[in-house]
């Protein structure tokens, strides 16, 4: 009886595998206590051994010693195993690939705005930021807008306050207001860009939005000429859209510049041959610009006989649309991750 019990234990010990244990260190200790502990299998069997008839003692004694040796060897073996590979005590599989957290990325408009700022910073322009809620003076009057200009109309501008029947405070409709703030507080030479958010009372569609972004540039110093403007524009266009880019200037009108122009670039999709993006013309309209009107310099306290300047303003959404072929303005503001993740790799 006792002999077969011992044989069963020996069999159990030899077939036990540490690989089957979850928490290996704890299971090994449990095993040790069960067989070798003070009240364990072995001490109990040795106890029973004492009362065996003498003629059985020799045979059973040998078997018991075998069992003891097997249990000791197994525990010793397993302890070494656990010590050498402590990470195996854990229930996780540490060789599994880790679960990556989704990385965030910059919004394509921020990337585009940063790129524009960087291009201008390489030729000495610094960044100026200012308020989004502006008064009539900085938005319109100082910028030479006539009193009856349609931009002063509620239809185009979000007014936030009315004073004694006077429409005075509004969300800025363009970043040209920053020109005024800088010229009022700084002496030339002035060489700044003003990136920022602007607001217009427009119905939202694929081509228009009531919130969008502009970057304005202003350079005021002695002897600034239209040639400086043109060269700056050519440099910017090539840096932004590629070295093969050509520019053309068309006469235009803005209250705050004289003369004024609009700049087109050769279509970066078809290279100027004509396609559906440039509507077959080979040219894409990019920005407005001109020489700062002397009235604006004077309104800001700068002597227009001593100083001249140029200014330009562009829409960031449009820049990004042309650069990355984005077809619908609304995509910028919907925060659909399928759209946003397409720009993960641009910096
Ligand atoms: N402020 C104009 C707009 O919102 C853009 C602009 C045109 C800015 C010509 C300029 C400029 O500085 O010279 O449409």
């Amino acid at each position: 009886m006792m002999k077969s019990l011992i044989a069963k234990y020996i069999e159990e010990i030899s077939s036990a595998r540490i690989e089957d244990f979850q928490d290996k260190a704890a299971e090994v200790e449990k095993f040790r206590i069960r067989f070798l502990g003070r009240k364990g299998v072995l001490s109990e069997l040795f106890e029973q051994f004492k009362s065996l008839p003498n003629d059985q003692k020799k045979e059973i004694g040998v078997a018991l010693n075998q069992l003891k040796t097997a249990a000791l060897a197994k525990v010793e073996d397993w302890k070494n195993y656990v010590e050498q590979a402590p990470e195996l005590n854990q229930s996780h599989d540490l060789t599994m690939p880790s679960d990556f957290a989704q990385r965030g990325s910059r919004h394509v408009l921020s990337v585009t705005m940063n790129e524009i700022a960087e291009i201008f910073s390489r030729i000495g322009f610094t960044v100026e930021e200012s308020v989004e809620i502006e008064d009539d003076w900085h938005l319109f009057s100082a910028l030479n807008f006539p009193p009856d200009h349609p931009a002063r109309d509620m239809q185009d501008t979000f007014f936030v306050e009315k004073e004694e029947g006077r429409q005075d405070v509004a969300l800025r409709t363009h970043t040209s207001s920053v020109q005024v703030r800088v010229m009022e507080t700084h002496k030339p030479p002035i060489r700044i860009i003003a990136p920022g958010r602007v607001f217009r009372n427009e119905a939202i569609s694929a081509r228009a939005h009531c919130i969008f972004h502009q970057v304005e540039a202003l350079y005021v110093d002695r002897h600034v000429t239209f040639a400086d403007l043109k060269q700056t524009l050519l440099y910017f266009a090539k840096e932004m859209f590629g070295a093969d880019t050509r520019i053309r200037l068309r006469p235009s009108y803005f209250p705050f510049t004289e003369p004024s122009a609009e700049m087109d670039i050769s279509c970066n999709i078809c290279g100027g041959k004509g396609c559906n993006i440039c509507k077959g013309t080979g040219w894409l309209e990019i920005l407005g610009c001109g020489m700062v009107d002397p009235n604006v310099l004077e309104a800001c306290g700068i002597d227009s006989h001593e100083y001249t300047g140029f200014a330009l303003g562009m829409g960031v959404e449009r820049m990004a649309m042309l650069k990355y072929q984005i077809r619908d303005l609304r995509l910028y503001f919907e925060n659909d991750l399928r759209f946003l993740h397409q720009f993960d790799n641009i910096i």
Side-chain angles (χ1 to χ4, degrees):
M1 244 270 299
M2 203 165 156
K3 199 179 150 196
S4 67
L5 188 62
I6 293 170
K8 201 193 94 201
Y9 282 134
I10 290 177
E11 167 58 27
E12 184 190 331
I13 291 171
S14 79
S15 64
R17 286 160 38 87
I18 193 159
E19 288 82 2
D20 298 336
F21 295 157
Q22 278 280 324
D23 186 347
K24 296 187 175 15
E27 296 277 354
V28 170
E29 182 59 6
K30 233 165 90 185
F31 180 92
R32 188 192 67 77
I33 291 167
R34 172 157 168 251
F35 282 98
L36 301 163
R38 253 186 338 113
K39 292 180 185 162
V41 168
L42 271 153
S43 68
E44 200 169 296
L45 288 173
F46 275 111
E47 205 50 46
Q48 289 173 24
F49 175 80
K50 285 182 195 157
S51 48
L52 279 179
N54 277 345
D55 63 337
Q56 288 184 24
K57 273 199 173 150
K58 192 171 176 214
E59 196 190 358
I60 299 293
V62 170
L64 257 181
N65 277 328
Q66 271 174 3
L67 174 60
K68 187 173 177 183
T69 312
L72 282 169
K74 197 79 178 187
V75 169
E76 180 68 16
D77 202 28
W78 282 352
K79 280 196 168 157
N80 287 338
Y81 180 96
V82 169
E83 254 165 46
Q84 276 165 24
E87 73 274 10
L88 291 173
N89 294 322
Q90 301 181 14
S91 49
H92 323 287
D93 179 355
L94 294 174
T95 62
M96 291 258 290
S98 59
D99 195 6
F100 287 105
Q102 274 278 3
R103 249 168 80 216
S105 57
R106 273 188 229 285
H107 193 280
V108 60
L109 289 178
S110 304
V111 173
T112 307
M113 202 126 76
N114 288 348
E115 186 172 5
I116 297 168
E118 202 172 281
I119 292 170
F120 278 98
S121 80
R122 293 204 282 272
I123 51 170
F125 285 75
T126 55
V127 174
E128 282 287 334
E129 285 180 301
S130 192
V131 292
E132 291 180 345
I133 300 174
E134 263 297 6
D135 53 32
D136 178 279
W137 171 255
H138 293 95
L139 273 178
F140 306 124
S141 297
L143 287 165
N144 202 35
F145 280 73
D148 56 354
H149 193 280
R152 294 173 185 257
D153 195 326
M154 294 274 268
Q155 309 260 277
D156 294 306
T157 303
F158 290 116
F159 287 92
V160 294
E161 211 170 87
K162 281 184 186 173
E163 268 174 34
E164 293 153 22
R166 205 181 54 160
Q167 295 169 337
D168 201 39
V169 181
L171 299 181
R172 69 178 175 195
T173 51
H174 55 182
T175 45
S176 302
S177 53
V178 185
Q179 278 189 33
V180 178
R181 290 197 173 267
V182 172
M183 285 192 280
E184 280 175 338
T185 52
H186 294 72
K187 281 193 161 55
I190 292 168
R191 216 188 276 141
I192 58 110
I193 60 162
R197 196 156 53 154
V198 300
F199 308 84
R200 280 186 206 172
N201 199 351
E202 303 248 17
I204 296 171
S205 72
R207 316 199 67 220
H209 207 286
C210 55
I211 301 177
F212 55 101
H213 299 77
Q214 289 186 332
V215 176
E216 181 89 10
L218 173 72
Y219 178 30
V220 182
D221 202 352
R222 293 189 180 93
H223 316 302
V224 177
T225 68
F226 202 92
D228 297 315
L229 170 60
K230 197 174 165 191
Q231 202 57 36
T232 304
L233 291 170
L234 181 62
Y235 158 79
F236 170 72
K238 285 176 180 287
E239 292 292 302
M240 190 74 187
F241 294 100
D244 297 336
T245 310
R246 286 163 293 128
I247 63 167
R248 82 176 178 188
L249 293 170
R250 284 177 291 104
S252 186
Y253 172 78
F254 300 102
F256 35 88
T257 45
E258 183 57 36
S260 305
E262 268 169 85
M263 179 177 88
D264 298 341
I265 59 164
S266 51
C267 179
N268 60 336
I269 308 299
C270 63
K273 286 194 213 77
C275 66
N276 64 339
I277 303 292
C278 60
K279 300 201 186 74
T281 64
W283 295 96
L284 298 165
E285 189 184 318
I286 287 282
L287 54 76
C289 59
M291 300 306 291
V292 181
D293 193 301
N295 289 346
V296 175
L297 293 173
E298 295 293 337
C300 300
I302 291 176
D303 184 349
S304 63
H305 299 287
E306 194 177 350
Y307 294 104
T308 52
F310 69 69
L312 59 99
M314 67 187 92
V316 180
E317 280 78 358
R318 181 158 172 80
M319 292 289 150
M321 274 180 143
L322 295 175
K323 191 151 179 167
Y324 302 111
Q325 294 175 47
I326 298 163
R327 300 286 159 91
D328 191 318
L329 260 182
R330 289 167 291 197
L331 288 165
Y332 292 125
F333 303 101
E334 283 166 355
N335 286 332
D336 185 330
L337 289 176
R338 290 169 301 180
F339 172 72
L340 297 179
H341 281 315
Q342 291 176 34
F343 306 98
D344 281 356
N345 295 323
I346 55 170
I347 303 167

